């Protein structure tokens, strides 16, 4: 599978349960078509997790037949919150719950362990970068986009000129915590939603799995007495809502309409802020049945207020290959770093 003698970069996507790895040649070809996963060991603490990432690198090189001396750099993405340079938040995070993770320099530790340059991005930024380069191909370095990734929380990224905008503290593109207007979005008597971060009425308080559990389902179950989801434990019920939505269930469609409206209001802010060429939606909704997926994206678009000039040039699309987007996105970031920003053709060959 390897390309004899062609240098490569490796992308490592670190998650709560597993690491996924990919290999990208310096001329822009992915040598891995699917998931190459091993356990991430993050619950066992930082040292075990760094060793697991090193094993993931060795495993994907063995699979592709690429010798280690051809690796020029490694891309690493993890869930946030973390700094732009890969230091886990001093408050810890959902995936990095042990005290040893607080303020831990995961990028620096992996670089030291591997003896290779390591480029870091959070998983939302990585998926945003992959969506951008896949969608625009050879034009990617001349285009801009925003991506909202709906998961346990709401992640995402801003891409300008083919590169992720990091920000001064590495917190650009934290779309979950952008406040949106709620008038016309909430139902009669629906409480103002509260986010886990303490904000009220930010995007994540509506458009996330956590929002379904805490804010949306309790309200809508009260409007649909006798609904089968009322018998389920709340966290499980939240995960089952999408299946009901795919089958056209009215309660579920009300929940997802509110989420789509929230994303449309976020994108309306983005339209007046960076005026991007493309708006990407990713996360669990992307894995849904095609009819539901298309309905959800169309509803997001319907609630994104664009001027006529913007409508003429903007596209709305889903983040592709969701499971592989993180590893592929950080591989692209690593390749960009290796090239030093020099224009050397598209980062992802067709």
């Amino acid at each position: 599978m390897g390309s004899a003698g062609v240098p490569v970069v490796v992308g490592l996507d670190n998650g709560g349960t597993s690491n996924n790895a990919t290999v990208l040649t310096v001329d822009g070809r992915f040598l891995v078509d699917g998931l190459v996963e091993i356990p991430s060991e993050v619950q066992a603490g930082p040292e075990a997790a760094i060793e697991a990432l090193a094993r993931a690198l060795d495993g994907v090189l063995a699979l592709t037949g690429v010798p280690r001396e051809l690796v020029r750099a490694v891309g690493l993405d993890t869930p946030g919150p973390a700094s732009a340079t890969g230091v886990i938040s001093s408050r810890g995070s959902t995936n990095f719950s042990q005290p040893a993770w607080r303020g831990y320099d995961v990028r620096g530790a992996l670089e030291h362990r591997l003896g290779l340059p390591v480029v870091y991005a959070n998983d939302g930024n990585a998926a945003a970068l992959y969506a951008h380069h896949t969608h625009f191909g050879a034009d990617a370095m001349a285009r801009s986009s925003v991506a909202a990734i709906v998961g346990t929380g709401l992640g995402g990224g801003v891409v300008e000129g083919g590169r992720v905008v990091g920000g001064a503290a590495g917190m650009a593109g934290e779309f979950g915590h952008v406040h949106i207007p709620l008038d016309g979005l909430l139902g009669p008597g629906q409480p103002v939603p509260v986010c886990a971060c303490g904000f009220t009425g930010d995007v994540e308080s509506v458009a996330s799995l956590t929002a379904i559990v805490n804010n949306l389902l309790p309200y809508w179950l009260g409007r649909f007495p006798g609904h089968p989801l009322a018998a389920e434990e709340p966290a499980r019920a939240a995960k089952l809502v999408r299946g009901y939505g795919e089958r056209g269930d009215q309660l579920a469609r009300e929940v997802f309409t509110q989420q789509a409206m929230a994303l449309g209001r976020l994108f309306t802010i983005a339209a007046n802020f960076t005026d991007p060429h493309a708006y990407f939606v990713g996360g669990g909704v992307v894995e849904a049945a095609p009819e539901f997926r298309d309905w959800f994206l169309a509803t997001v678009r319907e609630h994104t207020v664009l001027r006529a000039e913007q409508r003429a040039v903007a596209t709305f699309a889903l983040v592709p290959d969701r499971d592989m987007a993180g590893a592929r996105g950080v591989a692209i970031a690593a390749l960009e770093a290796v090239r030093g920003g020099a224009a050397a053709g598209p980062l992802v060959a067709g």
Side-chain angles (χ1 to χ4, degrees), residues 7-307:
V8 302
V9 294
V10 173
L12 299 175
D13 170 43
N14 166 264
T17 53
S18 56
N19 293 323
N20 178 41
T22 195
V23 179
L24 175 63
T25 64
V26 292
D27 54 4
R29 289 172 298 120
F30 285 106
L31 301 182
V32 174
D33 287 332
L35 290 173
V36 182
E37 289 190 314
I38 65 165
S40 64
E41 312 288 353
V42 292
Q43 300 305 328
E47 288 78 13
I50 293 296
E51 287 307 311
L53 285 164
R55 281 197 300 278
L57 174 92
D58 292 340
V60 80
L61 291 178
L63 179 74
T64 53
V66 175
R68 192 184 167 103
E69 53 269 23
L70 286 176
V71 180
R72 295 291 175 264
V74 174
L76 168 69
D77 80 279
T78 74
S83 76
T85 54
V87 177
I88 303 300
S89 167
S90 57
R91 293 190 316 200
S93 82
T94 309
N95 282 282
F96 306 110
S97 52
Q98 289 188 331
W101 279 111
R102 291 176 195 159
Y104 185 78
D105 179 4
V106 66
R107 188 207 66 80
L110 184 62
E111 187 167 88
H112 181 75
R113 169 66 179 79
L114 297 177
L116 288 162
V118 176
V119 173
Y120 176 81
N122 72 44
D123 54 1
N125 283 178
L129 194 61
Y130 178 61
H132 182 92
H133 282 271
T134 306
H135 185 83
F136 289 115
D139 292 330
M141 302 310 279
R143 295 287 182 271
S144 61
S145 64
V146 294
I149 317 289
V150 186
T152 306
L154 185 89
V158 179
V159 177
E160 185 63 52
R163 295 185 186 91
V164 170
V165 176
M171 293 175 184
E174 286 292 338
F175 289 139
H177 309 300
V178 172
H179 283 86
I180 51 169
L182 296 174
D183 48 301
L185 189 154
L186 299 179
Q190 187 171 4
V192 172
V194 179
C195 181
C197 79
F199 282 170
T200 54
D202 63 11
V203 190
E204 189 173 298
S205 72
V206 180
S208 65
L209 191 63
T210 308
I212 294 179
V213 178
N214 295 339
N215 300 325
L216 306 187
L217 256 190
Y219 172 77
W220 287 107
L221 285 171
R223 314 284 294 183
F224 287 84
H227 193 283
L229 283 174
E232 300 284 353
E233 185 266 326
R236 177 170 158 75
K239 289 184 172 152
L240 293 171
V241 174
R242 192 181 73 206
Y244 279 89
E246 289 175 322
R247 297 190 291 276
D249 176 79
Q250 195 185 346
L251 175 148
R253 290 286 172 127
E254 295 283 7
V255 166
F256 285 110
T257 296
Q258 289 193 313
Q259 293 206 328
M261 288 174 77
L263 293 177
R265 291 175 182 213
L266 169 68
F267 285 162
T268 301
I269 293 168
N272 289 290
F273 217 102
T274 64
D275 186 24
H277 292 93
Y279 301 84
F280 297 115
V281 176
V285 284
V286 173
E287 295 179 335
E291 184 275 332
F292 177 81
R293 228 169 43 191
D294 295 345
W295 166 80
F296 187 81
L297 189 64
T299 309
V300 172
R301 183 173 198 154
E302 179 191 333
H303 290 279
T304 303
V305 181
L306 301 178
R307 294 177 178 83

